[in-house]
Amino acid sequence: MSTNNSIQPVSPASELLSNTTCQLEEDLSISFSIIFMTVGILSNSLAIAILMKAYQRFRQKYKSSFLLLASALVITDFFGHLINGTIAVFVYASDKDWIYFDKSNILCSIFGICMVFSGLCPLFLGSLMAIERCIGVTKPIFHSTKITTKHVKMMLSGVCFFAVFVALLPILGHRDYKIQASRTWCFYKTDQIKDWEDRFYLLLFAFLGLLALGVSFVCNAITGISLLKVKFRSQQHRQGRSHHFEMVIQLLGIMCVSCICWSPFLVTMASIGMNIQDFKDSCERTLFTLRMATWNQILDPWVYILLRKAVLRNLYIK
């Protein structure tokens, strides 16, 4: 900022810059960010093509509902990776000079909204998929008669609107998303928190994310146990069960990837929100856990690419 004697108007972006600095030992280069974003976009594009083709082939209700939700999850990952990655590359290319290129804080607000939405929405969709499969396996008659494609689309819309609502909460509450200490991303206020509202946003984000992971774990456990019981009890409806097993394996893959990638970041945000740890002492760790979370958008599509029935059969034969 200027140190001239003349009075200069204060940019909104300057007020949102963190008072602490946070740098990893080796900063990411623009080239790495571009490669990272390109790999994510290509991976999600391939997964979308595979899921869309599968959705056209399988018109069975128990399969189409799952594929619809899976397609929505991968599409969400795709656009989240595209938008957040593009903004991140621009920030690096501009030498992280937010005061110069984002004087009105519009870009930071868009970045923060996209970060929250693309973080929570895939977790919500993963838990919704787990609930749908749990009902389909444990209550097949209820699932086939009561849960239609229309109902699935309504639940999908509800989940997306709720994620958008959570992402817009700071804006609706006349709060701004804050440029973080590394100056490479925007999120809720994470340093020098003195207001209960700032803590509420962090705790809400962490609670919803961990709740979604917990629901996925419980539902997938119930589904897996039910399928194993049926497998040992009877050999009827073998083809239908094989599709169930394929979907459950994919769900387990999504759950494992989400837990590994997102749990550290969610726990860190909860710790900061509850004042268990100071952001100044954990900003490098926060940035590391954030980068772990971004890997979720790259690994998610490979769950569908690699854990398909045809691929698993070929691996089993070999």
Side-chain angles (χ1 to χ4, degrees):
M1 289 184 287
S2 174
T3 55
N4 295 336
N5 293 329
S6 59
I7 299 176
Q8 298 290 337
V10 178
S11 168
S14 64
E15 297 178 354
L16 298 170
L17 285 171
S18 175
N19 293 325
T20 60
T21 57
C22 176
Q23 297 288 340
L24 293 182
E25 294 181 359
E26 295 182 4
D27 205 358
L28 289 177
S29 64
I30 299 178
S31 300
F32 181 84
S33 298
I34 293 174
I35 294 173
F36 188 81
M37 182 179 69
T38 303
V39 171
I41 292 174
L42 292 176
S43 300
N44 282 283
S45 299
L46 179 59
I48 290 172
I50 291 173
L51 286 168
M52 289 301 182
K53 184 177 180 181
Y55 184 76
Q56 294 298 324
R57 287 178 55 199
F58 296 98
R59 286 297 180 179
Q60 300 99 322
K61 188 182 296 185
Y62 68 87
K63 183 77 172 177
S64 61
S65 298
F66 177 85
L67 291 173
L68 179 62
L69 294 173
S71 300
L73 190 152
V74 176
I75 290 172
T76 303
D77 280 340
F78 173 83
F79 283 105
H81 202 78
L82 177 64
I83 296 173
N84 293 334
T86 302
I87 297 176
V89 169
F90 175 76
V91 170
Y92 275 106
S94 304
D95 199 26
K96 310 175 193 175
D97 191 359
W98 290 87
I99 298 177
Y100 174 74
F101 63 76
D102 191 31
K103 295 180 181 179
S104 59
N105 193 47
I106 294 177
L107 185 63
C108 183
S109 297
I110 295 174
F111 201 178
I113 291 170
C114 290
M115 287 288 294
V116 174
F117 175 80
S118 61
L120 289 179
C121 193
L123 295 177
F124 291 163
L125 290 174
S127 62
L128 185 60
M129 291 164 63
I131 294 172
E132 188 271 339
R133 272 305 83 210
C134 184
I135 296 174
V137 171
T138 59
K139 303 291 182 181
I141 298 177
F142 175 83
H143 182 273
S144 60
T145 57
K146 300 297 183 180
I147 301 182
T148 63
T149 303
K150 181 180 179 180
H151 292 145
V152 174
K153 290 180 179 179
M154 290 176 59
M155 290 186 288
L156 177 60
S157 300
V159 164
C160 292
F161 279 122
F162 181 66
V164 170
F165 173 73
V166 175
L168 290 176
L169 269 180
I171 307 299
L172 297 175
H174 303 288
R175 297 296 177 99
D176 292 306
Y177 280 95
K178 188 175 179 62
I179 302 165
Q180 300 302 302
S182 65
R183 300 196 176 192
T184 57
W185 60 298
C186 293
F187 201 65
Y188 302 128
K189 183 178 177 64
T190 54
D191 66 319
Q192 299 180 353
I193 301 176
K194 298 179 181 179
D195 195 312
W196 69 267
E197 192 172 347
D198 293 323
R199 297 190 185 279
F200 171 76
Y201 294 140
L202 287 172
L203 292 174
L204 178 65
F205 177 83
F207 171 76
L208 292 175
L210 292 172
L211 177 63
L213 291 176
V215 169
S216 298
F217 177 82
V218 172
C219 291
N220 288 331
I222 295 173
T223 303
I225 294 172
S226 299
L227 283 175
L228 290 175
K229 287 181 178 179
V230 173
K231 180 178 180 180
F232 290 116
R233 186 183 306 164
S234 174
Q235 293 298 321
Q236 296 177 352
H237 309 295
R238 185 172 181 179
Q239 184 178 358
R241 279 206 319 276
S242 66
H243 287 304
H244 282 310
F245 275 110
E246 178 191 19
M247 290 183 280
V248 170
I249 289 173
Q250 290 177 342
L251 278 174
L252 290 174
I254 295 170
M255 185 186 67
C256 291
V257 169
S258 298
C259 286
I260 294 172
C261 293
W262 274 105
S263 293
F265 183 75
L266 293 172
V267 171
T268 300
M269 291 299 103
S271 299
I272 295 173
M274 292 186 292
N275 203 25
I276 296 177
Q277 64 182 31
D278 189 358
F279 180 80
K280 291 182 180 180
D281 300 328
S282 62
C283 57
E284 286 85 4
R285 187 189 316 157
T286 301
L287 191 55
F288 176 76
T289 58
L290 171 67
R291 290 172 180 171
M292 284 184 63
T294 57
W295 273 100
N296 183 80
Q297 295 173 333
I298 291 181
L299 297 178
D300 261 352
W302 287 101
V303 172
Y304 303 104
I305 295 171
L306 297 178
L307 298 183
R308 289 176 295 148
K309 185 178 177 181
V311 176
L312 294 173
R313 186 189 297 116
N314 290 334
L315 291 175
Y316 179 77
I317 293 174
K318 293 179 180 180

